[in-house]
Amino acid sequence: MTTPVLQSFIGGRWIGQQHSQSLLSAINGQPVADTHAENLDFGEAVTHARGPGVAALLKLDFQQRAARLKALGAYLNEHKETLYEVSRHTGATRRDGWVDIEGGSGTLYAYASLGSNGLPSGNVLHEGPVIPLGKKGGFAGTHILVPRGGVAVHINAFNFPVWGMLEKFAPSFLAGMPCIVKPATATSYLTEAAVRLMHASGLLPEGSLQLVIGSTGDLLDRLAGQDMVTFTGSADTAAKLRVHPNLIRQSVPFNAEADSLNCAILAPDVTPADEEFDLFVREVANEMTTKAGQKCTAIRRAIVPRQYVDEVAARLRKRLAATVVGDPAREGVRMGALASHAQQADVAERVARLLQHAELVYGERDGFAPVGDGVSEGAFFSPTLLMARDSHHADVHDIEAFGPVSSLLPYDGLDEALALAARGKGSLVGTLVTRDPAIAARAIPAAAMWHGRLLVLDREAAVESTGHGSPLPALKHGGPGRAGGGEELGGLRAVHHYLQRTAVQGSPTMLAAITGEHVRGAKVIETEVHPFRRHFEDLQIGESLLTHRRTVGEADIVAFGGISGDFFYMHFDEIAARETDFGQRIAHGYFVLSAAAGLFVSPAPGPVLANYGLDTLRFTKPVGIGDTIQARLTCKRKIDRNKRDAKGIGQGVVAWDVEVRNQHGEMVASYDILTLVAKKV
């Protein structure tokens, strides 16, 4: 049987017919696929991305790209079994594959949701706030974020061939930036399978995703300032790429997420009788065996009170001994193989170096025997637990064995534990297991300077905790120092990384036109039609209503207090109120809000379907008895969510700017109202 040749996808076509390097199954050593021998024209790849790729992506807006991500996530889920079948050869169990494959499609869903709820219907994101730059209100400044117009080159590690690609692809796609993906060669057959599915879906605009199998050649030499490079892998490789002459010369943004010596600390308040003690043991064991320890977030250093280190070692030995290793297709297998024989050799060499100053607590000598047919030719490695009783020896803080390997480090006192954590010189993630909030409050700020993410684990959090080693789309993934100094994920922060931030100065009217949002002080549009009577399509940004006036009386305050149950002294006690800075009784802030709604709402059924929230609410000046208020309602922002109701009628979201002023023209309340507005069809 001929081994299939993997193909690159460059310039809108699949390239690769000639066999080159053979890629072997991590389970049985049999060939899975070959890389291709053809050289790639990276000039064509970059030109295709910057030209057709950028143009096709920018024909869609943020909302439409978010919808594509959602549909793409659904498509990959429908075809996930195809990927699971291939994933087995990387050494992954079904559980490992779930993190990679369905974790990848879940990231697409997450960014689709972030985009649909947090980004506008356009390709200009107003970051704000608008800052007055003159005394008369005619000159102001703000910030906008726009697509960069370049290409993002994503260089990924071997351990998560699907998720590693999609965690970078999702925010770059949402930002309107095409990408060229370069997976690690060892497991590139799984990435290629995923990319084929993505293109088969018909959801990817032309040029938005290209794939490189094999070397990147002169790709980095062809990048310019509007492009970006992201990297996941070893700290050594990250350091080399960071100083690539062309990246430096062209000021190409470079983001690295590097392997690090992550730690978990068992706090001194936790005893062997506590539930948290077993939580710590379970977390360390899980991180050693999930993905066979091939995670950039895995726990490499378990920092334990000296009086409990032997008990932790005993419980870990028991857990590791119960872990069945072998072919993931076999029933009951909990841990698979390393991704390649090269990785197996590398881990063995690093463990040998660590053992020069550490003792073996659990490892291959403890009856390691993977189960399954042909596994003797696989890239299996025993879960390996080391003990460095001299916790401050340099090796354990400098050498990372990227496999199912962790070292126990005893400490005396919390300060020493934190000092040991810092010896990692920067980590992606750390865990503190404690029962005591005071310890957490003391330790976390000290540890934060060396970590990108910190998990505080106790019995309460354990019920829902996603675990030490699980980066989440909503939270930053990255870390300082050895961990690369970069950031990925983190919700919309990741999208912002792929956009260009620019300061803009001008009149409020010009800023409103540029940002696609009403800016206070800009010219408004006043018509005879109440804005609430217009359908979503017909409503214009800046369309405004200046309401009639209403004078606030004592009866209003008394009635509102009776209805709401709010009898705060400032509203009812004349003597006490007179002694405050206000010098008088004042109306409830929420009465002012309600009264303003009464001024601007159009009560009849119509296109405005529902009010579902307020943003940026501020009460800027008190309203006293006898004051007269007036409101201005202005269409600030429109977002077409591309959704329809049960009757098939389209809907969009409109944000309205509301200003409430008193009889002197002074602002008393300011806020945005969010409403759901129907379309005509």
Side-chain angles (χ1 to χ4, degrees), residues 538-556:
D538 297 334
L539 191 60
Q540 302 176 72
I541 301 295
E543 196 161 341
S544 186
L545 170 72
L546 183 64
T547 70
H548 59 283
R549 298 179 180 85
R550 172 174 178 168
T551 299
V552 177
E554 182 179 16
D556 294 319

Side-chain angles (χ1 to χ4, degrees), residues 145-467:
L145 293 164
V146 297
R148 296 177 62 89
V151 57
V153 175
H154 299 318
I155 303 172
N156 296 325
F158 66 83
N159 50 343
F160 289 100
V162 179
W163 175 83
M165 170 181 64
L166 296 181
E167 64 141 347
K168 297 180 176 69
F169 167 79
S172 59
F173 183 89
L174 194 51
M177 195 171 196
C179 63
I180 298 173
V181 172
K182 181 350 189 159
T185 301
T187 54
S188 57
Y189 50 86
L190 180 53
T191 308
E192 193 230 36
V195 171
R196 285 190 181 276
L197 284 175
M198 293 167 74
H199 280 287
S201 72
L203 294 164
L204 292 180
E206 181 184 1
S208 59
L209 174 61
Q210 299 181 77
L211 173 68
V212 175
I213 298 295
S215 170
T216 54
D218 64 352
L219 175 57
L220 299 187
D221 291 314
R222 297 179 177 275
L223 302 183
Q226 75 272 34
D227 304 318
M228 290 187 67
V229 175
T230 68
F231 170 79
T232 298
S234 74
D236 290 342
T237 304
K240 293 175 183 177
L241 290 175
R242 192 187 304 277
V243 296
H244 187 284
N246 186 56
L247 300 189
I248 294 173
R249 183 168 53 250
Q250 300 285 351
S251 300
V252 177
F254 178 84
N255 186 85
E257 184 262 285
D259 307 335
S260 58
L261 288 157
N262 311 295
C263 70
I265 300 173
L266 182 65
D269 65 297
V270 179
T271 72
D274 291 325
E275 183 179 338
E276 282 75 11
F277 199 93
D278 282 328
L279 289 175
F280 178 86
V281 170
R282 184 181 70 187
E283 202 71 22
V284 173
N286 282 345
E287 290 299 314
M288 290 179 66
T289 56
T290 300
K291 262 297 197 178
Q294 299 169 111
K295 294 167 61 181
C296 56
T297 53
I299 296 170
R300 304 300 178 196
R301 300 173 300 149
I303 302 172
V304 178
R306 191 172 299 276
Q307 68 267 34
Y308 299 137
V309 70
D310 290 321
E311 178 63 22
V312 169
R315 295 193 192 187
L316 274 171
R317 277 182 58 88
K318 184 177 179 180
R319 274 188 171 269
L320 296 175
T323 301
V324 179
V325 180
D327 185 343
R330 282 290 189 96
E331 187 76 24
V333 167
R334 173 66 177 75
M335 188 182 106
L338 298 180
S340 67
H341 292 86
Q343 186 64 18
Q344 182 188 46
D346 182 74
V347 173
E349 186 271 333
R350 290 171 185 263
V351 168
R353 289 165 60 192
L354 288 168
L355 280 171
Q356 293 177 16
H357 298 96
E359 61 189 77
L360 183 65
V361 175
Y362 184 88
E364 189 169 5
R365 70 184 184 190
D366 293 281
F368 180 58
V371 300
D373 297 330
V375 294
S376 61
E377 302 301 319
F380 293 92
F381 199 92
S382 172
T384 302
L385 181 65
L386 308 176
M387 171 94 72
R389 294 194 184 272
D390 180 0
S391 303
H392 292 276
H393 195 281
D395 282 359
V396 76
H397 303 293
D398 290 334
I399 298 171
E400 179 181 21
F402 199 75
V405 182
S406 188
S407 298
L408 290 172
L409 305 176
Y411 74 85
D412 299 296
L414 185 59
D415 288 340
E416 184 181 13
L418 294 171
L420 290 171
R423 289 287 301 279
K425 303 181 184 69
S427 299
L428 295 172
V429 57
T431 287
L432 174 69
V433 178
T434 182
R435 296 184 60 187
D436 189 343
I439 287 179
R442 176 185 165 195
I444 292 300
M449 67 181 73
W450 293 104
H451 294 82
R453 175 169 60 88
L454 288 166
L455 167 66
V456 182
L457 186 61
D458 64 1
R459 65 191 68 186
E460 181 181 352
V463 177
E464 296 180 302
S465 173
T466 52

